[in-house]
Amino acid sequence: MLSRLREQIWADWIWFPEGYGWADLTDHDGKVYPKTQDLWVTIPIALCFLVIRQIFERTVATPLASILGVTDKKRIRASPNPVLEPYFCSTSKNPTQSSIEVLSKQSGCSVRQVQRWFRRRRNQERPCKLKKFREASWRFTFYLVAFFAGLAALIDKPWLYDMKQVWEDFPKMPLLPSEYWYYMIELGFYVSLIFSIASDVKRKDFKEQIIHHVATISLISFSWLVNYIRAGTLIMLVHDSSDSFMEAAKMFNYAGWRKTCNIMFTTFAAVFIFTRLVILPFWIIHTTCVYPLTLYRPFLGFYFFNGLMFVLQALHIFWAILILRMVVKFLPGNHIVEDERSDKDETESEDEDGGHEKLQNGHAQNGHAQNGHTPLNNNHSKKD
C-alpha cells in the first residue's frame, strides 16, 4: 500500500510537463542529473557549518568586535524575589496592571517597584550586544562568500543573461559540478539556520523567519528534485546579493559607527528593493510562472514551485515595508534609527526610580538603577 501511495505521489504527470518524467533524469552518456539521495549530503554540511560557526565566532568575530569597540552595557539585575520570580517564569513576563497590583500586595512592594523588577528581569533575558555582533558577523561572511561564489559559478552561463534559457531542454539539462556544490552549500547553510534558530537571537519577525527558512529549503529541495536548477541558482544569487549589506549594517550598528551603519543600511535597502521587488518578480518569477505556459501545459509541480515563489515574494514585501520605515527614520531631521525587528532593552526614568529604591528579597532598600535602551545609532562618541 505504501509503495502504491509513493508511486501516486511521485507520478510523472504531477511533477513534469506532459511527455516527460523521472526517466529523463537517469544518468547516461556521461551526463549526470540531480538525484533525491543527493539532498542527504546537506545534513553533514549543515553540521559542519554549526562547528565552523562556533570556531569563527570565537576566533574571528570576538576579536573583530573588540577592534570595532563593541561592548555590552552593564545591566541592573533583578534581585531574587520568591513571589515575582515564579510568576515571571510560569505565568507571564509582561503582567497586566491588575496583576501587578495583586503582586504588589503579595510581595509587599510598591506597584512601581514591581514594574521595575519585571523590566529588569526581562532585560536580563535579552541577548547581549556581543552575541548579536557574532551572529551578524557569521551571516555577513557567509552571504558575502556565497554571493561571489554563486556569481563565479554563473558568470559564464547563458541563463544569467537570457532567462528564457532556464527552460532550454528542460528537464533534460545535465548537472554541472559548480551547480551541485552551489546547491549543497546553500541548502546546508539554511538547514544549519533551522538547527540553530532556538539559540539565536529571537527577533520580532521570528515567525516570518521560520516561514522564510522552510519555504527556502522547500524551494531549493524541490527545484533540485525536478531539475529546476537553473532557476534555483538565479533565485539564490538574488537573495545573497543584499543580505551581506544588512549584516554589515548590523555590525557597525553594534559598534556605534553611525555614519557607516547608515550608509550600509541605505545600500542594503536599495539593493534589496531592486533585487527582491523588481528583478525577482518581474524577471525570475515571470520566467518561472508566465513564460513556461508558452512551452508546456501547466502541471501540479509548476503550481507548487510558483506557490513557494509567491510565499517568498509576500515575505519580501513585508520586510520591504519594515526597511522603508527604518530608512525614513534617518532621513534629514531624524537622527536615531532602530532595527524594527530587534528586541531592545526597556528604560527606567529617574521618576520611576522613586528615590532610587531597589528590590531585594521583596523589600525596598536604597540604591540607584537606571537602564537605558540601545537605539540603533546611540553611540556618538565614535566617528568614522
Side-chain angles (χ1 to χ4, degrees):
M1 181 177 178
L2 291 177
S3 60
R4 184 179 178 182
L5 179 61
R6 181 179 178 181
E7 291 177 0
Q8 291 177 344
I9 292 176
W10 297 105
D12 291 344
W13 65 272
I14 294 179
W15 305 109
F16 295 96
E18 185 177 355
Y20 298 94
W22 297 106
D24 294 307
L25 300 183
T26 303
D27 297 349
H28 62 86
D29 300 330
K31 296 180 179 180
V32 179
Y33 297 89
K35 302 174 182 61
T36 304
Q37 57 267 29
D38 293 335
L39 296 178
W40 290 109
V41 176
T42 61
I43 302 299
I45 291 178
L47 296 177
C48 287
F49 270 128
L50 294 176
V51 174
I52 294 172
R53 173 179 173 175
Q54 294 299 318
I55 298 173
F56 175 88
E57 290 186 356
R58 294 179 182 179
T59 60
V60 178
T62 300
L64 181 60
S66 179
I67 293 173
L68 294 180
V70 178
T71 56
D72 286 321
K73 183 175 182 179
K74 187 176 181 179
R75 295 169 177 170
I76 305 299
R77 298 183 64 85
S79 300
N81 188 290
V83 175
L84 304 183
E85 183 67 26
Y87 187 93
F88 180 89
C89 295
S90 60
T91 304
S92 175
K93 297 180 180 180
N94 294 275
T96 61
Q97 185 60 34
S98 59
S99 298
I100 289 176
E101 292 174 358
V102 172
L103 291 170
S104 173
K105 295 177 182 179
Q106 292 176 349
S107 62
C109 305
S110 68
V111 170
R112 188 165 294 175
Q113 287 174 323
V114 174
Q115 291 173 333
R116 187 183 308 117
W117 188 94
F118 274 94
R119 275 195 299 273
R120 293 176 179 174
R121 187 65 180 83
R122 286 192 294 267
N123 284 339
Q124 282 180 218
E125 294 200 342
R126 291 189 171 91
C128 62
K129 189 183 296 185
L130 181 58
K131 177 177 174 60
K132 294 178 181 179
F133 182 89
R134 288 171 176 169
E135 290 186 10
S137 300
W138 167 246
R139 291 192 296 265
F140 165 78
T141 302
F142 175 82
Y143 291 135
L144 186 66
V145 172
F147 173 72
F148 283 105
L151 190 61
L154 294 175
I155 195 68
D156 61 342
K157 304 301 186 295
W159 60 87
L160 179 63
Y161 311 98
D162 180 11
M163 293 188 183
K164 291 182 180 180
Q165 293 290 322
V166 164
W167 297 99
E168 186 72 20
D169 296 329
F170 176 80
K172 300 180 181 181
M173 301 174 293
L175 176 65
L176 303 176
S178 59
E179 294 173 326
Y180 174 87
W181 287 110
Y182 189 26
Y183 253 76
M184 294 301 107
I185 291 174
E186 284 276 353
L187 187 54
F189 177 75
Y190 281 104
V191 172
S192 74
L193 292 182
I194 293 292
F195 288 162
S196 65
I197 201 165
S199 59
D200 288 346
V201 175
K202 189 174 182 180
R203 300 186 180 275
K204 294 178 182 178
D205 62 346
F206 177 77
K207 294 180 180 179
E208 289 80 6
Q209 287 283 358
I210 291 291
I211 295 173
H212 175 270
H213 294 339
V214 172
T216 300
I217 292 173
S218 301
L219 185 63
I220 296 175
S221 300
F222 173 74
S223 64
W224 176 266
L225 292 176
V226 296
N227 209 10
Y228 283 12
I229 291 179
R230 292 183 178 180
T233 55
L234 295 177
I235 295 167
M236 292 187 295
L237 185 67
V238 164
H239 278 72
D240 290 336
S241 62
S242 62
D243 289 339
S244 59
F245 291 106
M246 179 60 182
E247 301 304 332
K250 291 179 183 178
M251 292 166 62
F252 287 114
N253 161 40
Y254 302 140
W257 291 31
R258 174 185 172 188
K259 293 181 181 178
T260 307
C261 172
N262 286 352
I263 291 172
M264 285 294 172
F265 188 80
T266 303
T267 305
F268 160 73
V271 175
F272 182 95
I273 291 173
F274 180 67
T275 56
R276 309 284 183 97
L277 301 186
V278 178
I279 291 181
L280 187 65
F282 296 107
W283 271 276
I284 298 179
I285 294 182
H286 181 273
T287 302
T288 63
C289 186
V290 178
Y291 178 69
L293 297 179
T294 65
L295 304 175
Y296 312 102
R297 293 179 59 185
F299 50 99
L300 290 180
F302 165 85
Y303 291 118
F304 180 76
F305 180 82
N306 285 289
L308 292 174
M309 292 290 292
F310 283 117
V311 170
L312 285 180
Q313 190 57 45
L315 290 171
H316 295 157
I317 294 172
F318 168 79
W319 282 316
I321 293 172
L322 295 182
I323 290 168
L324 291 175
R325 287 173 58 183
M326 294 164 66
V327 169
V328 168
K329 289 186 178 182
F330 59 81
L331 291 175
N334 299 321
H335 304 292
I336 294 178
V337 183
E338 294 175 351
D339 187 345
E340 295 286 344
R341 303 179 305 151
S342 294
D343 191 14
K344 52 187 177 293
D345 288 358
E346 299 172 76
T347 61
E348 294 180 22
S349 66
E350 289 288 344
D351 292 336
E352 286 181 328
D353 277 345
H356 313 313
E357 294 171 333
K358 182 180 180 182
L359 276 177
Q360 184 171 358
N361 298 325
H363 300 285
Q365 294 186 353
N366 291 332
H368 177 73
Q370 183 176 2
N371 287 346
H373 70 84
T374 307
L376 188 62
N377 297 314
N378 67 329
N379 190 339
H380 299 286
S381 63
K382 295 184 181 181
K383 304 294 183 182
D384 292 343

